[in-house]
Amino acid sequence: MPEDSIEQINFEQINKAAISQPLVSHIYTADPSAHVFNGKIYIYPSHDVDAGIPFNDNGDHFGMEDYHVFSMETIDSKAVDNGVALHVDEVAWAEKQMWAPDAAHKNGKYYLYFPAKRPDGIFQIGVAVSDSPVGPFKSEPEAIKGSYSIDPAVFEDEDGKYYIYFGGIWGGQLQNYRNNKYNVDHEEPSGKEQALGPIAARLTANMLEFDEEPKEIKILDENGNVLLAGDNNRRFFEASWVHKYNEKYYFSYSTGDTHFICYAIGDNPYGPFVYQGRILNPVVGWTSHHSICKVDNDWYLFYHDSSLSKGVTHLRSMKVTKIDYLEDGSIVTIDPYGKED
Ligand code: FUB
């Protein structure tokens, strides 16, 4: 549910009907990227705070400064806060806005990927390294060369290769790039123009750099045409995530201003991905951002909403719910407030 309908929301009723409750309530957490590393669940969310900046379409009110990592023994157990894992003051190249992160594990090392704004107001993506999944993480001195925009998500394929996906329009600045080059005059395409796609690149063996020129990923409709910019209910906005199910690659993402989490399926990590449908209907709050993680034999959607803060867009809480797949590999759409009394 977008912010403009907040006044009509009865939060007591909505929280009762919610299919899940916040995983933690002592701090606000959003954009949860969940992984199972060595048999344990780890969640890498944004840490929402009230920076006192009014709401605008540029997302300036998301003034986050640090990351906490959460761990869970099982999907039903308490999410444990492992404290500050990385603070913006420890990142030489970054000034502010520590937005949605993700993490990866390789050869006993853990890598935290995160977007932040440089002092000139441009988003880039950084990486920080730790020997522990919960940090503390030590940031590389520079942002990843050639990185831009927001919302990194790292996918480890079964052949041991790692891919990073990123990008987000509006406050995420993706509209200012074409072919990986920034130009302040580039605008978001509109109407019947092709929508901008997310960006992907394979990571180097040491996990610290892009191993190739980042490529734009195509999301196609049922006729094989790239989704159009005016197709706000389906086009990519932000919050990339990739998981593999039954040998197929599932690319999921947020549609931003229409508040859906949707998915598209492809045959390899670069797509193209063919649009399939919605995973999650709108939540309370403007943003919707998720991850999909297999725990034991079940698949879970980690997501957030603003129900705990009674609709404050930038004060969100991470939640989790089970995903159901049908025989044909499609995902059953989840209504976040669909619980019957
Ligand atoms: O948390 C800040 C931004 O809001 C994220 O980077 C977006 O995906 C949206 O959730």
Side-chain angles (χ1 to χ4, degrees):
M1 263 158 256
E3 181 150 277
D4 52 11
S5 43
I6 281 176
E7 267 154 36
Q8 298 124 41
I9 297 177
N10 175 335
F11 283 98
E12 207 177 309
Q13 224 168 55
I14 206 99
N15 287 336
K16 239 170 104 189
I19 57 168
S20 72
Q21 295 303 317
L23 287 173
V24 295
S25 55
H26 65 294
I27 59 172
Y28 289 108
T29 53
D31 314 318
S33 292
H35 295 273
V36 173
F37 293 142
N38 299 322
K40 195 164 163 177
I41 305 163
Y42 294 95
I43 315 172
Y44 300 83
S46 302
H47 173 198
D48 280 358
V49 289
D50 194 351
I53 301 165
F55 178 98
N56 64 28
D57 282 348
N58 208 27
D60 292 338
H61 47 302
F62 293 103
M64 298 86 106
E65 294 183 353
D66 64 15
Y67 298 111
H68 289 224
V69 181
F70 294 81
S71 46
M72 293 168 90
E73 293 296 335
T74 69
I75 199 72
D76 300 313
S77 64
K78 192 170 163 331
V80 175
D81 181 352
N82 294 283
V84 176
L86 180 70
H87 192 280
V88 69
D89 292 347
E90 298 157 346
V91 183
W93 62 267
E95 185 186 63
K96 60 182 177 189
Q97 286 178 286
M98 303 282 266
W99 285 13
D102 191 19
H105 174 216
K106 187 179 177 188
N107 298 340
K109 294 254 183 236
Y110 297 85
Y111 300 86
L112 182 71
Y113 298 87
F114 59 95
K117 269 188 186 159
R118 304 186 315 217
D120 64 359
I122 301 293
F123 268 115
Q124 276 202 276
I125 294 167
V127 57
V129 187
S130 176
D131 291 329
S132 160
V134 300
F137 288 87
K138 189 172 169 16
S139 176
E140 290 293 296
E142 305 284 344
I144 298 175
K145 202 166 157 241
S147 70
Y148 55 94
S149 197
I150 59 164
D151 290 1
V154 175
F155 166 70
E156 179 189 356
D157 207 348
E158 281 155 327
D159 60 4
K161 294 192 174 117
Y162 290 77
Y163 300 85
I164 187 166
Y165 299 81
F166 58 92
I169 55 174
W170 296 18
Q173 305 175 345
L174 184 63
Q175 66 278 4
N176 295 137
Y177 291 83
R178 297 291 185 278
N179 298 319
N180 303 320
K181 300 262 174 321
Y182 179 83
N183 185 330
V184 72
D185 296 329
H186 287 321
E187 289 180 358
E188 180 190 358
S190 61
K192 295 212 175 334
E193 292 178 291
Q194 292 189 354
L196 293 174
I199 311 295
R202 200 178 52 245
L203 290 168
T204 48
N206 69 4
M207 304 292 278
L208 303 178
E209 288 178 72
F210 297 160
D211 203 17
E212 58 186 354
E213 272 284 292
K215 307 179 202 318
E216 185 175 352
I217 298 295
K218 303 280 178 221
I219 306 176
L220 309 179
D221 67 12
E222 58 286 7
N223 300 315
N225 299 315
V226 173
L227 291 183
L228 300 181
D231 189 354
N232 298 46
N233 282 329
R234 300 195 295 177
R235 64 93 171 84
F236 171 78
F237 188 99
E238 63 188 3
S240 297
W241 190 259
V242 172
H243 75 283
K244 205 169 176 181
Y245 179 81
N246 279 353
E247 298 308 308
K248 293 279 182 194
Y249 295 79
Y250 285 59
F251 179 82
S252 47
Y253 59 98
S254 166
T255 62
D257 55 346
T258 49
H259 318 287
F260 298 111
I261 298 292
C262 293
Y263 73 109
I265 295 182
D267 292 321
N268 72 76
Y270 300 113
F273 297 96
V274 180
Y275 180 87
Q276 304 291 318
R278 295 174 184 165
I279 299 176
L280 183 68
N281 281 329
V283 294
V284 172
W286 200 95
T287 66
S288 199
H289 190 125
H290 71 299
S291 64
I292 293 173
C293 180
K294 191 177 187 194
V295 182
D296 300 324
N297 285 323
D298 288 315
W299 288 88
Y300 290 89
L301 179 77
F302 290 76
Y303 64 106
H304 68 228
D305 76 4
S306 298
S307 57
L308 187 64
S309 69
K310 298 201 164 39
V312 180
T313 326
H314 58 280
L315 296 178
R316 302 159 293 178
S317 301
M318 56 183 177
K319 295 183 159 188
V320 62
T321 192
K322 196 164 165 285
I323 287 178
D324 289 317
Y325 292 88
L326 299 180
E327 279 284 301
D328 63 358
S330 59
I331 294 177
V332 178
T333 306
I334 295 165
D335 179 352
Y337 310 102
K339 201 164 87 187
E340 313 242 324
D341 268 343

